[in-house]
Amino acid sequence: MNLFYNSQLAISPINWTNDDMTDLGDHYSYQQIMDEMRDLGFKGTELGRKYPKDVTTLRNELGSRGLTLTSGWCDILFSDPTAADSEAMDKFKAHVLFLKEMGARYVVTADGAGSVHWDPREDRSEKGVRKYTDEHWASLCENLNAAGEFCRSHRMTLVYHIHAGTGVETMEETDRLCLGTNPDVVSLLVDTGHLYYCGVDPAEVVRKYGDRVKYIHLKDVRQDVLDRVKKEDINFNDAVRLGVFTVPGDGVIDFKPVFEALAEANYQGWLVIEAEQDSLVANPIQYSKKAQEYIHSLTNLKA
């Protein structure tokens, strides 16, 4: 399948060092991460917690290795009518402008309110997600539309990450998000691993919302670990530590229908290899090569 003529493979630094669980991969420097990405042949990378925070330094470090910044993560609290104030929007806008200066075109975001991950008001890692009320949904969609309009005014695209452990993780919740937001300014990030983790077929999401799918995370799942996670009700971070995620070609997901759906939708964006796992257990170089070989076997895409 050689239809992704305007698409490129990229890779996330989370394959080396985790952004949320800072002990995982903390021994890596950003220089080593970037060097290994370059040596693997990649031309694109997402932002990572180890990377320099100022534009000039980051641009020089990436440019010297022939790397492009594809996007960067920004968690939000837009579903909370009291939290999604000017300060919350200001944080988002500053992130957009940083990415714009770096030459990126996509802004990855997801709402953290009530999630098991990033809600600064309460720790829900063991309690599970606090789902949205109608008021929360209205606030989320209204603020996403405003944020998306800001992105568009700067020739950027907001891509919403359907993410396990948040208020938008199921197919029903994805439908509600899409129904409540403007498709011209709020697009979708399809993360194959997170969708499968939540019982959603990633190919179905692409087929249903192909025109809105503008960014892809290619992640696989180890079924035996996921079965244990579900059976024992293990929280998300512990599931990651147990190795629930891996690179494409090393898990249970069949990526052929995913790539077929993307080809049918004429997808032309980045395809970012991402595996949240312990780099001391799963060597990033070895696993990156495994992913490259598998993806090439299905699409003829190379890094």
Side-chain angles (χ1 to χ4, degrees), residues 49-299:
R49 69 177 177 89
K50 290 278 189 169
Y51 285 11
K53 302 298 187 291
D54 68 281
V55 170
T56 301
T57 303
L58 181 57
R59 185 186 288 140
N60 289 340
E61 293 289 350
L62 291 174
S64 68
R65 297 168 174 86
L67 291 168
T68 295
L69 190 70
T70 64
S71 185
W73 169 269
C74 183
D75 54 274
I76 52 178
L77 291 173
F78 285 171
S79 64
D80 186 339
T82 64
D85 54 16
S86 59
E87 183 178 344
M89 190 62 76
D90 285 348
K91 169 193 171 185
F92 179 83
K93 289 179 177 179
H95 182 69
V96 172
L97 296 178
F98 174 84
L99 292 177
K100 180 183 179 181
E101 280 198 79
M102 286 301 306
R105 291 180 50 212
Y106 301 95
V107 184
V108 176
T109 193
D111 193 72
S115 75
V116 301
H117 309 287
W118 324 287
D119 193 328
R121 304 161 304 179
E122 59 175 333
D123 180 3
R124 300 200 62 83
S125 58
E126 299 294 340
K127 300 175 184 177
V129 184
R130 186 190 299 278
K131 292 298 185 177
Y132 302 143
T133 64
D134 289 344
E135 183 184 19
H136 293 147
W137 273 110
S139 177
L140 174 64
C141 292
E142 179 183 355
N143 284 291
L144 279 175
N145 283 335
E149 288 285 3
F150 180 81
C151 289
R152 181 165 66 172
S153 72
H154 288 277
R155 298 185 178 181
M156 306 280 283
T157 299
L158 185 157
V159 287
Y160 193 92
H161 192 324
I162 309 160
H163 198 293
T166 72
V168 186
E169 60 179 348
T170 68
M171 194 69 204
E172 180 182 7
E173 290 158 354
T174 301
D175 289 339
R176 186 161 182 177
L177 178 85
C178 289
L179 183 64
T181 54
N182 181 354
D184 293 332
V185 297
V186 178
S187 298
L188 296 179
L189 184 159
V190 166
D191 185 306
T192 55
H194 278 268
L195 289 172
Y196 187 91
Y197 185 101
C198 295
V200 180
D201 178 3
E204 179 186 354
V205 177
V206 175
R207 286 192 294 266
K208 188 169 186 177
Y209 294 111
D211 290 344
R212 293 185 77 161
V213 176
K214 303 296 185 185
Y215 202 86
I216 303 293
H217 281 170
L218 298 175
K219 184 190 285 109
D220 214 335
V221 173
R222 294 184 175 95
Q223 187 66 56
D224 58 335
V225 181
L226 181 61
D227 290 343
R228 179 186 169 190
V229 167
K230 299 300 183 182
K231 181 180 179 180
E232 300 179 18
D233 195 25
I234 295 171
N235 69 49
F236 182 84
N237 283 351
D238 287 342
V240 170
R241 291 182 183 280
L242 288 171
V244 70
F245 293 125
T246 184
V247 298
D250 190 54
V252 70
I253 297 176
D254 180 2
F255 281 83
K256 184 177 180 181
V258 177
F259 288 129
E260 288 174 344
L262 288 169
E264 290 168 7
N266 194 31
Y267 181 80
Q268 302 294 313
W270 288 99
L271 296 141
V272 184
I273 297 170
E274 187 187 68
E276 302 166 55
Q277 50 185 346
D278 186 349
S279 53
L280 290 176
V281 176
N283 181 273
I285 295 176
Q286 295 174 5
Y287 276 78
S288 296
K289 289 179 178 178
K290 180 179 291 191
Q292 287 174 314
E293 291 170 3
Y294 175 72
I295 294 166
H296 181 65
S297 73
L298 294 178
T299 68

